[in-house]
């Protein structure tokens, strides 16, 4: 540990008694409440906590990026180079932003301009801040893209954001942030939308760049596994306050505050619901979904994107099949084919009946038995319908009971997922992310289905909420003998639920079998990489 004097000497930025309030009409909301911490030169400080804890508001305050005058600071100072950033002139802040303190945002697609090439966007920063000419800027842009290890950097410079993968876009964001060699890089959830293996490479890259460039990093995250790998010190936030701050190793080995203990214990855990052999409910045989690539004036098919390429499995009643793999591996496409929402080749059998050749009209009666819960609970719930209407829609379509019976079924479904039935006349925006996902599960559950396809149902949720949803899914499976196809890139969640596991890559099955065996001893190198990146089997090492 450093002495206090040493820390003083190394101090880069100091936040002292910071508060942030937002004005909305007549009401005031305090998002950050009297917090203090320092960031030292060359170190990584992590701000961790769940959605709404005030992490991003704190980070945006440093660069004064909040929606002033609707936001205000009733107390506090942010001292950088002896100056309080909160009371500095707009001119001074313009010099600091991007130059001395840079920021990477959570969603690279919304931070990059879709109309400009990567080269133009990075060049712009260099011309504006460094006074370079176009040729010098292009040379430096190529250096930066090489620095962040973008493959084929010369070609990528001329690409537009939509032509890059999520991981590549995030690397471009890092290159833009590093263009002016900042002293402090604020990384706001920089890997949230990325696959576990890509998350790992981005973090390793940040760690490596930090060593080479000597910059400090303020890492904002709700993912404790990531924090453990890169942070030197950690501040834990809850409801706008810092409840604990200490060295990273100390936080993980000896957390003091009950909330920190709760966060560390919130990893989805436990074992899948006990299952005894029973009838096969779902089966696929050599299932293929190929999308044609057409070229030329006549739009002739020159090749195919093999999204799902020859997949076979059997799933017994009451079991969970976990389908894992990175973005673009074909997981969700497989789910859509099982649901008969896209056309496919090969056999799909439900309860012994071939359903792959059925028309949409013939499939409709089966929709009651086969339900789906999507990844984004906000996008999949109509904002114009009340919760009661959303859950009751399936009952009305399938003509299940009269109005009174339907109302009772809606109430029962809400109770089943742990929501107050009195809230059923509210709208989706009035609920938290976890509550919205419970509504989506209630909508599937109300029809008393036998099979539910769950497509990344927990990826948008905080760890503590994920754990509750996993426990709810386990409880419902045990109670109703439900069968799940659980699609996810989050291996901790899959491990807690799945009896069988299927690892997909580029449309093909890399490894499949009993989940317990694969988690204990993965045979394929790709599966081993996935498990190592996801921190399973105690591979964590700072």
């Amino acid at each position: 540990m450093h002495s206090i004097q040493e820390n003083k000497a190394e101090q880069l930025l100091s936040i002292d008694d910071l508060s942030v309030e937002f004005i909305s009409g007549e009401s005031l909301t305090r998002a950050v409440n009297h917090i203090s911490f320092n960031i030292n030169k060359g170190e990584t400080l992590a701000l961790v906590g769940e959605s709404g804890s005030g992490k991003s508001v704190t980070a945006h305050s440093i660069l004064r990026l909040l929606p002033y005058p609707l936001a205000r600071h009733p107390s506090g100072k942010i001292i950088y180079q002896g100056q309080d950033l909160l009371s500095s002139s707009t001119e001074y802040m313009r010099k600091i932003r991007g130059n001395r303190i840079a920021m990477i945002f959570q969603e690279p697609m919304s931070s990059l301009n879709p109309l400009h090439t990567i080269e133009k966007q990075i060049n712009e920063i260099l011309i504006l801040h460094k006074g370079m000419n176009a040729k010098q800027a292009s040379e430096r842009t190529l250096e930066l893209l090489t620095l962040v290890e973008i493959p084929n950097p010369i070609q990528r410079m001329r690409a537009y954001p939509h032509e890059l993968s999520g991981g590549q876009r995030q690397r471009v964001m890092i290159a833009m942030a590093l263009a002016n060699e900042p002293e402090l890089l604020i990384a706001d959830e920089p890997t949230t939308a990325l696959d576990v293996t890509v998350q790992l490479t981005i973090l390793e890259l940040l760690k490596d760049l930090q060593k080479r460039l000597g910059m400090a990093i303020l890492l904002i995250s709700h993912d404790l596994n990531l924090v453990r790998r890169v942070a030197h010190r950690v501040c834990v936030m809850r409801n706008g306050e810092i409840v604990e701050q200490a060295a990273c190793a100390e936080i993980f080995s000896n957390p003091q505050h009950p909330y920190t203990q709760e966060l560390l214990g919130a990893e989805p855990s436990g074992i899948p619901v006990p299952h005894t052999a029973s009838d096969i409910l779902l089966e696929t045989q050599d299932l293929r979904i190929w999308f044609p690539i057409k070229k030329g004036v006549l739009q002739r098919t020159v090749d195919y994107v093999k999204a799902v390429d020859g997949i076979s499995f059997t799933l017994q009643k009451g079991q969970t099949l976990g389908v894992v793999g990175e973005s673009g591996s074909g997981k969700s496409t497989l789910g859509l084919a099982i649901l008969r929402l896209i056309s496919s080749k090969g056999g799909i059998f439900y309860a012994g009946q071939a359903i792959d050749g059925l028309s949409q009209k013939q499939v409709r009666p089966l929709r009651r038995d086969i339900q789906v819960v999507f990844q984004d609970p906000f996008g999949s719930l109509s904002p114009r319908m009340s919760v009661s209407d959303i859950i009751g829609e399936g009952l009305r379509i399938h003509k299940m009971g009269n109005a009174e019976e339907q109302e009772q079924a809606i109430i029962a479904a809400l109770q089943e997922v742990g929501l107050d039935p009195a809230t059923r006349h509210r709208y989706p925006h009035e609920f938290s992310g976890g509550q919205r996902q419970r509504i989506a599960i209630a909508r599937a559950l109300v029809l008393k289905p036998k099979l539910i396809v769950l497509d990344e149902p927990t990826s948008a949720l905080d760890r503590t909420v994920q754990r509750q949803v996993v426990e709810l899914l386990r409880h419902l499976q045990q109670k109703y003998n439900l069968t799940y196809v659980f699609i996810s890139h989050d291996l901790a969640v899959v491990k807690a639920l799945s009896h069988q596991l299927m690892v997909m890559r580029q449309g093909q099955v890399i490894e499949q079998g009993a989940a317990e065996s694969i988690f204990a001893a993965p045979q394929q190198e790709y599966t081993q990489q996935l498990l190592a990146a996801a921190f399973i089997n105690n591979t964590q090492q700072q």
Side-chain angles (χ1 to χ4, degrees), residues 182-202:
E183 284 189 294
L184 172 63
L185 179 65
I186 301 170
D188 188 359
E189 299 273 11
T191 60
T192 300
L194 305 177
D195 293 315
V196 281
T197 47
V198 184
Q199 282 184 359
L200 193 56
T201 52
I202 294 286

Side-chain angles (χ1 to χ4, degrees), residues 176-301:
M176 288 171 85
L178 297 179
N180 296 317
E181 296 160 16
E183 284 189 294
L184 172 63
L185 179 65
I186 301 170
D188 188 359
E189 299 273 11
T191 60
T192 300
L194 305 177
D195 293 315
V196 281
T197 47
V198 184
Q199 282 184 359
L200 193 56
T201 52
I202 294 286
L203 280 181
E204 292 300 331
L205 172 68
L206 283 174
K207 224 166 153 180
D208 181 47
L209 291 170
Q210 181 178 37
K211 267 187 205 146
R212 278 197 268 172
L213 305 174
M215 66 181 175
I217 296 176
L218 174 62
L219 175 67
I220 295 157
S221 183
H222 66 265
D223 190 331
L224 291 163
N225 282 339
L226 299 186
V227 165
R228 179 183 251 174
R229 294 188 181 226
V230 293
H232 299 104
R233 288 188 302 125
V234 179
C235 294
V236 181
M237 284 192 79
R238 185 187 196 186
N239 299 336
E241 294 177 355
I242 290 178
V243 294
E244 184 166 358
Q245 57 176 306
C248 187
E250 215 172 295
I251 287 271
F252 281 93
S253 62
N254 188 22
Q256 298 298 305
H257 194 276
Y259 178 67
T260 312
Q261 292 164 2
E262 185 191 336
L263 269 187
L264 289 171
E267 190 81 8
S269 59
I271 54 166
V273 168
H275 178 264
T276 49
S278 67
D279 301 338
I280 290 170
L281 185 71
L282 181 68
E283 185 178 359
T284 67
Q285 290 173 359
D286 193 27
L287 189 66
R288 296 187 312 285
I289 299 130
W290 292 9
F291 298 112
I293 300 168
K294 295 177 187 290
K295 279 193 177 167
V297 181
L298 300 174
Q299 289 289 288
R300 286 204 175 99
T301 299

Side-chain angles (χ1 to χ4, degrees), residues 92-200:
Y92 179 77
M93 287 309 297
R94 206 169 281 149
K95 285 179 186 159
I96 294 295
R97 281 187 202 119
N99 256 336
R100 309 313 318 134
I101 303 173
M103 191 159 186
I104 313 170
F105 295 96
Q106 180 169 352
E107 183 31 75
M109 201 57 188
S110 56
S111 310
L112 294 170
N113 188 327
L115 303 177
H116 293 166
T117 62
I118 300 306
E119 180 178 18
K120 185 170 182 184
Q121 296 188 57
I122 303 178
N123 281 10
E124 194 177 17
I125 296 167
L126 296 164
I127 291 164
L128 195 70
H129 287 281
K130 295 284 190 198
M132 292 182 179
N133 63 34
K135 187 172 182 289
Q136 291 169 325
S138 289
E139 284 168 6
R140 178 66 178 141
T141 294
L142 182 58
E143 277 175 32
L144 286 163
L145 291 179
T146 307
L147 185 69
V148 297
E149 296 168 14
I150 284 224
N152 308 324
I154 294 172
Q155 285 170 283
R156 292 288 180 255
M157 278 171 74
R158 300 185 186 109
Y160 289 88
H162 71 271
E163 297 177 285
L164 304 182
S165 71
Q168 287 170 341
R169 285 197 290 265
Q170 200 57 287
R171 284 169 191 266
V172 169
M173 289 293 298
I174 294 168
M176 288 171 85
L178 297 179
N180 296 317
E181 296 160 16
E183 284 189 294
L184 172 63
L185 179 65
I186 301 170
D188 188 359
E189 299 273 11
T191 60
T192 300
L194 305 177
D195 293 315
V196 281
T197 47
V198 184
Q199 282 184 359
L200 193 56

Side-chain angles (χ1 to χ4, degrees), residues 318-507:
Q319 264 193 344
T320 299
L321 168 67
V323 183
V324 302
E326 298 173 287
S327 301
S329 61
K331 309 184 302 290
S332 294
T333 308
L334 173 67
L336 292 172
I338 291 166
L339 292 159
R340 298 287 291 112
L341 293 173
I342 55 173
S343 57
S344 57
K345 295 275 197 308
I348 305 172
F349 300 89
Y350 172 75
Q353 178 191 0
I355 63 168
D356 47 274
L358 299 182
S359 68
Q360 286 304 315
K361 192 178 177 185
Q362 290 168 314
V363 169
R364 185 171 284 178
L366 288 173
R367 297 247 177 261
R368 190 184 150 178
D369 279 359
I370 307 172
Q371 282 292 302
V372 61
V373 175
F374 292 104
Q375 175 173 358
D376 175 13
F378 204 64
S380 65
L381 302 176
S382 169
R384 294 179 177 178
M385 292 168 76
S386 70
V387 167
S388 178
D389 289 338
I390 288 166
I391 296 172
E393 190 176 23
L395 298 172
R396 292 189 293 278
I397 288 168
H398 293 286
K399 300 181 172 60
M400 294 168 67
N402 57 34
E404 198 179 314
E405 287 164 339
Q406 287 175 3
E407 186 78 354
Q408 286 311 307
I410 292 163
I411 290 169
L414 283 167
Q415 285 171 331
E416 201 74 81
V417 298
L419 289 175
D420 181 0
T423 61
R424 68 188 183 280
H425 302 299
R426 291 189 195 165
Y427 289 83
H429 71 269
E430 298 176 74
F431 294 85
S432 70
Q435 288 171 328
R436 287 199 290 264
Q437 202 54 292
R438 286 171 186 264
I439 292 164
I441 294 168
R443 174 174 62 182
L445 208 62
V446 76
L447 296 171
K448 303 276 186 280
K450 296 185 175 69
L451 171 69
I452 302 181
V453 176
L454 299 137
D455 189 1
E456 299 270 16
T458 61
S459 65
L461 307 175
D462 287 320
R463 269 305 194 211
T464 49
V465 183
Q466 278 188 0
R467 185 176 188 147
Q468 293 163 11
V469 171
V470 167
E471 281 166 7
L472 170 66
L473 289 170
R474 264 203 297 245
H475 162 73
L476 295 172
Q477 184 170 40
Q478 195 154 22
K479 188 170 178 183
Y480 295 113
N481 199 29
L482 289 170
T483 308
Y484 294 146
V485 174
F486 192 90
I487 296 163
S488 183
H489 67 263
D490 189 330
L491 290 151
V493 175
V494 171
K495 189 179 184 184
L497 277 168
S498 303
H499 303 91
Q500 287 190 58
L501 188 66
M502 190 157 81
V503 181
M504 287 183 70
R505 187 184 195 183
Q506 294 169 355

Side-chain angles (χ1 to χ4, degrees), residues 43-107:
E43 80 163 348
T44 299
L45 176 78
L47 266 188
V48 303
E50 297 184 295
S51 305
S53 60
K55 310 184 297 294
S56 292
V57 172
T58 302
H60 287 125
S61 298
I62 295 172
L63 287 173
R64 295 229 311 259
L65 295 174
L66 295 174
Y68 305 103
L70 296 177
R72 65 180 196 184
H73 301 285
S75 73
K77 288 180 178 175
I78 299 176
I79 305 295
Y80 173 70
Q81 291 183 334
Q83 216 162 322
D84 179 11
L85 297 181
L86 294 183
S87 58
S88 296
S89 68
T90 309
E91 196 54 43
Y92 179 77
M93 287 309 297
R94 206 169 281 149
K95 285 179 186 159
I96 294 295
R97 281 187 202 119
N99 256 336
R100 309 313 318 134
I101 303 173
M103 191 159 186
I104 313 170
F105 295 96
Q106 180 169 352
E107 183 31 75

